[in-house]
């Protein structure tokens, strides 16, 4: 303990002690709430809401509300919140991040602040890491909410549900303790709006984020799902489960809604063949620390010969150079069954932190197409961005934000600097009995795998359950082959069979169970000693054998991922063992470990499958993890710095869109005043009737705003790439981006007003049938990860109807060809182009 800590005391301990009286007050209320009937318990929500309307605060209601939740939980699930769980619930309500060890019941903790904050009538969002957990938690915890008179909604990928609270207690226990096969019996389909209308809505970060972006593409209030009532804010309170995974690990990838705009080019296949001929070191170099490539002079010469060019830079410009570098990146830095899998004639990304597949997500800037070409699958169309936002800026929209995870303290600084969230570690309900053994270090990967196989066979024979963590599908399957040779029965868990994740992990604590998992390792699912079907005697037998043995086959870039794997063992005071097996061939050791360690092991003649425990190597690995974490934080900060510039503009545009979308005549009059077209508007109102004019004017304004916003997004992205070169001239690229971005946005606002004024006289012209069809293109943009699909048939119908050739002049009067203006422009432009004929 530091000198200051000894004098002042630990800040977090002081904070936790300050919450003790609240916990005591909740406990004192327990007999009173035990005496209530089920109907009286359910009716409390109405009385709590009345008190809020009369001026009471949520903090004042907290002890009673938490006592009510505890009693409802005990009656429905047979689970009573521990004092440490009450602590966690108070911390979440106060808008902080709480670190609670695996097995401490974070899912149950969430019910406390969710119920309390839902009493305000403004809606609570509970964010999970995958659809499975969203459904599971809504059904499982939904019994508590139903007993308390609240409703629960679920938003899943391409579907939404409402919890049907007719489940019996016996069914619930079978459901939770078993394999959750009966989930869907208790979920009924509903619209997405209905799911958001529930008091508490469960879903993944992707679903909430993409719904927000889609809402801001809507041209009709009925298309909006998150703003459902005027008095109900879109982003009131969010509780983020596995908060480090969602707010930090996934924060490097922004949410993007895009739509195809052109047929894929043959260039990707051409450059994939060129890249295949290039050799590492001779033709290009790889920097594994920064994950970048550099072409050598020899590589450029070889590529120019393959392409039949004298000088790729002058003959074809930056486009060909970009294609070449992207193809080499795809070859050198992205490995099949580690970074992606080939599935259904396509490339599906594997999340490097969780090991889960990311359906529909696509790498940007042509990288995904380059990997498709490399693997020989269909190269998908390039797309145009319609809306985007980083997770950081999305979650900062919430009036109050909190989160929970088993591994928060290593990221406390980032939570505070980026989100303004304090992090508090909650003590465990029972003392931790897990043994975290020192790393074992081997010369080679083959030697390490042999040693792992021997150790696992020994543990299997003894009956001690083993969970093995691997960093990729490739390593996952490689170790499986070694265990097969040793005759050890086992189960594989990776992105290829993640549908079975819950069942596999839930039974990983059975006697003699061996599970090889990627980083997903059943996050959010507890591993119970003896398995889900085992009784107390089974659990005691496993405890006597030493509990769950977690074996890590490699250190991850982030210490947090290693700690998550360790956290699978030793839940609720159970015994357990964790240990990492490291080889000098592993990426981290190969890149960062001192060369003298490798030479020493060779010199001593240590067999490749014999381990040493060397603190120097372990410290080198830990040091490298810290460096990489710092680098990744800088990357996320860099992304956020640039998105903050765009975010101010995004909020301005979205605010203007919402005012138009939900406003009436007063909004139209305000815009008419701004663009000096009041007289024309008054005449149009008399000509068409006030209601029709307002509707048509709002539609026109939204179309113009969207058209220019999409073009602005592209211009900002291009400008961001160009300002990075100004660093060579001793100018800060971010300042340049901010300065030029502001000027571009001011110009955008002027152009929007000018176009609305210019097109105002045309309001009321008959829209042809094909124009109505074209409008369906806008309404059919649906999110599938980062790549959106658009109604191509509608585009083709319009093109056929108006009989415009690809090389004909665009009817909008821009002077450009249709293929360069109408077809590649926004759908709204196509409507305007058609109507102007």
């Amino acid at each position: 303990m530091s000198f200051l800590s000894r004098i002042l005391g630990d800040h977090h301990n002081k904070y936790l002690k300050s919450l003790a009286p609240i916990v005591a007050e909740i406990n004192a209320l327990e007999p009173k709430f035990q005496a209530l009937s089920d109907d009286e318990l359910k009716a409390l929500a109405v009385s709590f809401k009345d008190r809020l309307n009369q001026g009471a605060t949520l903090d004042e209601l907290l002890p009673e509300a938490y006592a009510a939740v505890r009693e409802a939980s005990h009656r429905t699930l047979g689970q009573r919140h521990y004092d440490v769980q009450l602590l966690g619930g108070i911390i979440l309500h106060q808008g902080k991040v709480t670190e609670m060890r695996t097995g401490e019941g974070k899912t149950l903790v969430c019910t406390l602040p969710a119920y309390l904050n839902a009493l305000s009538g403004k809606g609570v969002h509970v964010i999970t890491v995958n659809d499975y957990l969203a459904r599971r938690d809504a059904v499982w915890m939904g019994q508590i909410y139903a007993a308390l008179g609240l409703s629960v909604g679920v938003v899943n990928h391409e579907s939404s549900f409402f919890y049907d609270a007719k489940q019996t207690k016996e069914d619930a226990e079978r459901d939770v303790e078993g394999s959750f096969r009966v989930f869907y019996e208790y979920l009924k389909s509903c619209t997405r709006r209905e799911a958001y209308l529930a008091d508490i809505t469960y879903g993944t970060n992707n679903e909430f984020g993409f719904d927000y972006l889609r809402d801001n593409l809507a041209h009709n209030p009925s298309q909006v799902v998150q703003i459902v009532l005027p008095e109900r804010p879109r982003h009131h309170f969010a509780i983020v489960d596995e908060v480090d995974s969602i707010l930090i690990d996934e924060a490097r990838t922004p949410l993007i809604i895009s739509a195809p705009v052109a047929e894929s080019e043959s260039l990707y296949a051409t450059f994939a063949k060129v890249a295949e001929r290039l050799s590492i070191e001779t033709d290009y170099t790889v920097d594994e620390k920064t994950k970048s490539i550099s072409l050598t002079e020899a590589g450029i010469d070889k590529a120019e010969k393959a392409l039949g060019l004298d000088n790729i830079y002058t003959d074809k410009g930056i486009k060909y150079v970009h294609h070449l570098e992207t193809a080499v990146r795809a070859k050198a830095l992205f490995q099949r069954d580690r970074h992606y899998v080939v599935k259904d004639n396509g490339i599906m990304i594997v999340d490097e932190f969780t090991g889960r597949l990311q359906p529909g997500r696509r790498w940007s800037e042509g990288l995904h197409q380059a990997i498709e070409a490399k693997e020989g699958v269909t190269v998908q169309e390039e797309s145009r961005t319609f809306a985007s936002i980083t997770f950081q800026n999305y979650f900062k929209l919430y009036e109050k934000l909190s989160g929970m995870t088993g591994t928060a303290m290593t990221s406390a600084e980032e939570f505070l600097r980026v989100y303004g969230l304090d992090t508090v570690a909650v003590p465990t309900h029972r003392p931790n009995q897990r043994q975290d053994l020192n790393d074992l270090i081997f010369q080679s990967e083959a030697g390490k795998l042999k040693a792992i196989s021997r150790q696992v066979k020994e543990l299997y024979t003894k009956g001690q359950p083993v969970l093995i963590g691997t960093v990729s599908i490739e390593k996952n399957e490689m170790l499986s082959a070694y265990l097969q040779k040793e005759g050890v029965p086992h189960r594989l868990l990776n992105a290829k069979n993640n549908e079975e994740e819950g069942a596999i992990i839930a039974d990983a604590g059975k006697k003699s169970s061996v599970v090889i998992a990627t980083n997903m390792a059943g996050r959010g699912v507890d591993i119970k000693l003896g398995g889900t079907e085992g009784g107390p005697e089974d659990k005691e037998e496993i405890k006597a054998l030493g509990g769950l043995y977690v074996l890590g086959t490699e250190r991850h870039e982030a210490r947090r991922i290693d700690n998550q794997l360790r956290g699978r063992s030793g839940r609720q005071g159970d015994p357990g063992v964790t240990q990492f097996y490291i080889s000098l061939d592993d990426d981290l050791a190969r890149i960062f470990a001192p060369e003298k360690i490798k030479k020493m092991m060779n010199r001593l003649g240590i067999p490749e499958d014999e381990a040493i425990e060397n603190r120097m190597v372990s410290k080198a690995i830990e040091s490298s993890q810290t460096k990489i974490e710092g680098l990744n934080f800088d990357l996320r900060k860099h992304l956020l710095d640039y998105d903050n510039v765009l975010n101010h503009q995004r909020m301005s545009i979205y605010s203007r869109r919402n005012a138009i979308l939900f406003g009436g005549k007063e909004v139209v009059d305000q815009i008419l005043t701004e663009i000096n077209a009041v007289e024309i508007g008054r005449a149009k109102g008399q000509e068409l009737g006030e209601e029709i004019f307002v509707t048509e004017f709002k539609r026109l304004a939204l179309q113009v705003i969207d058209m220019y916003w999409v073009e602005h997004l592209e211009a900002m992205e291009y400008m961001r790439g160009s300002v990075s070169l100004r660093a060579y001239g001793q100018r800060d690229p971010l300042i340049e981006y901010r300065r030029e971005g502001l000027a571009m946005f001011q110009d955008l606002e002027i152009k929007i007003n000018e176009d609305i004024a210019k097109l105002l006289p045309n309001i009321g012209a008959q829209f042809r049938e094909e124009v109505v069809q074209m409008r369906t293109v806008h309404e059919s943009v649906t999110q599938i990860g980062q790549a959106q699909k658009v109604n191509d048939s509608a585009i083709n119908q319009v093109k056929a109807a108006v009989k415009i050739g690809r090389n004909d002049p665009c009817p909008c009067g821009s002077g450009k060809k249709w293929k360069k203006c109408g077809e590649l422009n926004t759908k709204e432009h196509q409507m305007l182009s058609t109507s102007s004929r």
Side-chain angles (χ1 to χ4, degrees):
M1 183 181 289
S2 71
F3 174 73
L4 282 176
S5 295
R6 286 199 301 271
I7 293 177
L8 302 174
D10 181 77
H11 168 70
H12 286 162
N13 285 338
K14 282 188 173 182
Y15 170 70
L16 289 172
K17 285 178 182 176
S18 74
L19 304 182
I22 305 176
V23 173
E25 190 177 352
I26 298 168
N27 288 333
L29 288 167
E30 190 165 21
K32 174 185 174 182
F33 283 82
Q34 287 173 338
L36 296 176
S37 68
D38 288 350
D39 288 341
E40 288 173 328
L41 194 63
K42 182 176 288 189
L44 284 173
V46 176
S47 66
F48 286 151
K49 290 176 182 179
D50 287 342
R51 286 165 61 184
L52 285 173
N53 291 333
Q54 292 166 15
T57 66
L58 291 177
D59 288 344
E60 291 169 346
L61 292 182
L62 187 149
E64 294 170 85
Y66 279 26
V69 175
R70 176 192 261 177
E71 181 59 27
S73 175
H74 183 66
R75 293 185 190 185
T76 56
L77 302 181
Q79 296 179 348
R80 176 184 176 276
H81 294 76
Y82 303 128
D83 284 2
V84 291
Q85 291 175 317
L86 296 178
L87 274 176
I90 297 168
I91 294 166
L92 290 174
H93 165 66
Q94 294 184 355
K96 302 180 190 296
V97 170
T98 177
E99 177 177 282
M100 299 187 73
R101 288 278 187 98
T102 301
E104 292 295 302
K106 292 189 291 293
T107 306
L108 193 62
V109 169
C110 179
T111 58
L112 298 162
Y115 172 72
L116 174 64
N117 285 268
L119 294 172
S120 67
K122 297 179 180 179
V124 174
H125 295 169
V126 181
I127 319 292
T128 64
V129 292
N130 60 48
D131 283 348
Y132 164 80
L133 291 176
R135 295 192 302 271
R136 184 203 72 173
D137 293 354
V139 171
W140 187 9
M141 299 298 109
Q143 299 161 85
I144 298 174
Y145 301 129
L148 292 167
L150 298 188
S151 57
V152 181
V154 186
V155 287
N156 268 189
H157 186 55
E158 298 181 345
S159 59
S160 50
F161 306 98
F162 208 78
Y163 175 67
D164 188 348
K166 294 177 181 176
Q167 189 178 19
T168 66
K169 182 178 177 182
E170 292 74 22
D171 285 338
E173 289 172 350
R174 184 184 73 239
D175 196 7
V176 172
E177 297 297 325
S179 60
F180 305 101
R181 294 191 186 98
V182 290
F183 272 161
Y184 290 101
E185 295 177 25
Y186 311 109
L187 292 172
K188 58 182 180 181
S189 295
C190 66
T191 67
R192 232 165 168 79
R193 284 171 66 90
E194 288 172 331
Y196 279 108
L197 266 173
D199 295 305
I200 299 160
T201 306
Y202 283 80
T204 66
N205 50 319
N206 282 344
E207 295 308 309
F208 284 107
F210 278 123
D211 279 343
Y212 169 72
L213 292 179
R214 278 199 299 265
D215 278 358
N216 284 288
L217 288 171
H219 272 203
N220 189 300
S222 65
Q223 297 169 332
V224 176
V225 297
Q226 285 189 344
I227 295 182
V228 285
L229 295 171
E231 68 275 11
R232 191 178 172 107
R234 186 185 248 142
H235 300 105
H236 170 53
F237 177 41
I239 305 170
V240 184
D241 194 10
E242 307 297 357
V243 65
D244 52 343
S245 176
I246 290 172
L247 295 193
I248 292 180
D249 294 340
E250 296 201 35
R252 283 162 60 181
T253 308
L255 293 166
I256 299 173
I257 283 186
S258 57
V261 293
E263 296 179 358
S264 55
E265 300 180 63
S266 60
L267 286 177
Y268 290 106
T270 300
F271 280 93
K273 292 175 183 175
V274 172
E276 190 59 37
R277 300 177 194 173
L278 304 183
S279 305
I280 191 168
E281 299 302 338
T282 305
D283 300 320
Y284 63 90
T285 59
V286 176
D287 186 334
E288 293 186 86
K289 293 182 182 180
T290 60
K291 296 182 179 176
S292 60
I293 62 99
S294 295
L295 291 162
T296 65
E297 288 294 330
I300 294 170
D301 289 343
K302 190 181 288 187
E304 287 171 343
K305 287 177 183 176
L307 295 166
L309 300 174
D310 292 328
N311 187 325
I312 191 172
Y313 291 93
T314 58
D315 291 356
K316 293 294 182 179
I318 196 67
K319 182 176 183 179
Y320 268 41
V321 175
H322 172 74
H323 272 287
L324 177 59
E325 291 179 343
T326 304
V328 175
R329 281 185 67 217
K331 173 188 176 181
L333 295 172
F334 292 83
Q335 300 173 24
R336 182 172 181 167
D337 288 341
R338 177 164 189 171
H339 301 102
Y340 63 89
V341 296
V342 178
K343 187 176 182 180
D344 301 329
N345 192 36
I347 300 299
M348 196 170 290
I349 296 173
V350 175
D351 187 287
E352 63 177 307
F353 295 101
T354 66
R356 293 186 175 93
L357 291 180
Q358 301 289 295
R361 275 205 167 183
R362 293 178 67 81
W363 285 295
S364 59
E365 298 176 357
L367 176 60
H368 208 98
Q369 286 91 340
I371 294 174
E372 288 169 334
K374 163 190 163 184
E375 293 292 349
V377 302
T378 302
V379 177
Q380 300 295 320
E381 296 171 319
E382 295 192 53
S383 57
R384 189 178 202 196
T385 297
F386 280 72
S388 70
I389 192 170
T390 59
F391 276 121
Q392 292 102 319
N393 275 324
Y394 174 72
F395 281 106
K396 283 158 75 174
L397 293 170
Y398 282 91
E399 296 171 14
K400 184 164 72 173
L401 179 66
S402 65
M404 50 190 179
T405 181
T407 50
M409 296 310 294
T410 54
S411 304
E413 181 187 358
E414 187 163 351
F415 284 131
L416 184 61
R417 288 177 59 182
V418 175
Y419 301 98
L421 297 174
D422 283 328
T423 304
V424 182
V426 176
T428 56
H429 177 57
R430 296 189 178 98
N432 180 32
Q433 296 187 50
R434 190 184 72 214
Q435 288 182 281
D436 295 331
L437 303 179
N438 291 333
D439 296 349
L440 295 180
I441 298 142
F442 299 83
Q443 282 191 65
S444 67
E445 182 172 49
K448 177 183 72 175
L449 293 174
K450 289 177 187 175
I452 290 173
S453 302
R454 283 200 310 267
Q455 172 72 348
V456 173
K457 185 174 184 179
E458 182 181 320
L459 294 168
Y460 166 75
T461 304
K462 185 172 77 167
Q464 186 172 4
V466 185
L467 174 66
I468 306 169
T470 60
V471 297
S472 68
I473 299 170
E474 177 192 19
K475 299 291 177 68
N476 186 279
E477 294 174 342
M478 188 185 299
L479 180 57
S480 174
Y482 273 83
L483 290 183
Q484 286 174 0
K485 288 181 183 177
E486 292 286 347
V488 178
H490 59 278
R491 299 190 74 178
L492 279 181
L493 174 59
N494 58 42
K496 292 181 178 179
N497 68 335
N498 62 349
E499 297 84 2
E500 305 171 58
E501 177 183 351
I504 292 175
I505 284 295
D507 272 340
K510 290 175 67 173
K511 185 177 180 180
S512 296
S513 168
V514 177
V515 174
I516 310 174
T518 49
N519 291 333
M520 58 175 61
R523 190 163 189 170
V525 182
D526 280 342
I527 299 176
K528 298 184 178 180
L529 299 187
T532 54
E533 303 294 330
E537 65 283 354
D538 298 296
K539 179 174 181 178
E540 289 305 313
E541 181 182 10
I542 301 301
K543 287 173 73 171
L545 291 170
L548 179 68
Y549 194 110
V550 168
L551 193 156
T553 61
E554 205 167 317
R555 286 283 194 169
H556 194 272
E557 282 187 357
R559 291 170 296 168
R560 192 172 59 254
I561 308 299
D562 294 341
N563 292 337
Q564 286 163 6
L565 180 60
R566 288 193 194 275
R568 299 292 102 202
S569 178
R571 64 182 296 278
Q572 284 288 326
D574 287 340
V577 181
T578 71
Q579 189 162 38
F580 280 85
Y581 282 51
I582 296 171
S583 87
L584 298 181
D585 290 336
D586 295 346
D587 288 345
L588 275 175
R590 181 171 50 79
I591 298 168
F592 293 99
E595 189 65 30
K596 58 185 176 183
I597 295 294
K598 303 175 185 178
K599 291 179 180 176
M600 178 194 74
M601 292 186 76
N602 285 329
R603 189 170 62 250
L604 293 175
I606 299 172
E608 68 170 3
D609 59 348
E610 186 176 317
I612 64 167
E613 292 185 38
N614 188 293
R615 191 59 197 150
M616 188 186 300
V617 176
S618 296
K619 287 192 76 171
I621 297 292
E622 290 166 8
S623 174
S624 66
Q625 287 178 309
T626 304
K627 290 176 184 174
I628 293 173
E629 287 168 2
L631 176 63
N632 287 336
F633 174 54
D634 290 342
L635 289 172
R636 290 188 292 268
K637 184 70 167 57
H638 181 74
L639 174 69
L640 182 59
D641 286 340
Y642 279 88
D643 192 61
N644 281 339
V645 177
L646 197 58
N647 195 55
H648 176 75
Q649 302 173 3
R650 181 189 297 117
M651 292 300 99
S652 176
I653 288 291
Y654 285 0
S655 176
R656 188 172 184 182
R657 277 190 108 267
N658 283 328
I660 296 170
L661 189 64
F662 293 100
K665 184 177 183 300
E666 72 286 350
V667 174
V668 173
D669 289 343
Q670 181 182 341
I671 298 173
L672 290 173
T673 301
E674 289 175 5
I675 63 176
N676 300 316
V678 173
E679 291 302 319
I680 299 176
R682 188 176 293 120
K684 283 290 179 183
Q686 292 173 350
E687 175 190 341
L688 302 172
E690 205 64 56
E691 186 176 345
I692 294 176
F693 170 68
V694 168
T695 300
E696 291 300 322
F697 181 87
K698 286 168 63 175
R699 180 182 300 151
L700 168 67
L702 290 172
Q703 290 167 354
V704 173
I705 289 171
D706 287 351
M707 177 181 74
Y708 278 108
W709 177 242
V710 171
E711 291 178 349
H712 181 71
L713 287 176
E714 289 183 344
M716 290 290 285
E717 184 62 31
Y718 178 81
M719 192 258 290
R720 179 177 169 180
S722 66
V723 296
S724 62
L725 301 175
R726 299 181 194 179
Y728 295 107
Q730 306 300 310
R731 286 188 287 177
D732 187 328
L734 180 60
I735 292 175
E736 295 288 299
Y737 180 76
R738 188 180 294 127
R739 182 179 59 80
E740 292 197 19
L742 176 61
M744 288 167 60
F745 187 69
Q746 290 171 338
D747 188 47
L748 163 77
E749 293 180 306
I750 293 170
K751 287 179 178 176
I752 287 173
N753 285 341
E754 287 178 347
D755 254 28
I756 292 174
K758 182 175 70 176
L759 295 165
L760 180 61
N762 295 332
I763 285 182
Q766 282 295 319
F767 282 88
R768 303 173 75 177
E769 180 61 30
E770 59 266 23
V771 181
V772 177
Q773 290 174 336
M774 180 49 84
R775 189 175 300 124
T776 66
V777 177
H778 189 287
E779 296 170 357
S780 70
V781 175
T782 54
Q783 171 259 318
I784 307 178
Q786 280 187 316
Q788 311 309 306
K789 298 217 174 186
V790 82
N791 189 343
D792 294 322
S793 63
I795 295 177
N796 293 333
Q797 288 170 12
V798 174
K799 286 166 63 178
V802 298
K803 295 181 174 60
I804 300 176
R806 285 172 55 81
N807 292 309
D808 290 344
C810 180
C812 74
S814 66
K816 298 179 182 178
K817 294 179 180 179
W818 169 259
K819 67 180 181 181
K820 293 293 185 183
C821 187
E823 183 178 351
L824 298 184
N825 213 325
T826 60
K827 296 168 288 297
E828 290 77 13
H829 191 160
Q830 294 177 319
M831 292 171 62
L832 295 172
S833 300
T834 309
S835 64
S836 69
R837 297 178 71 247

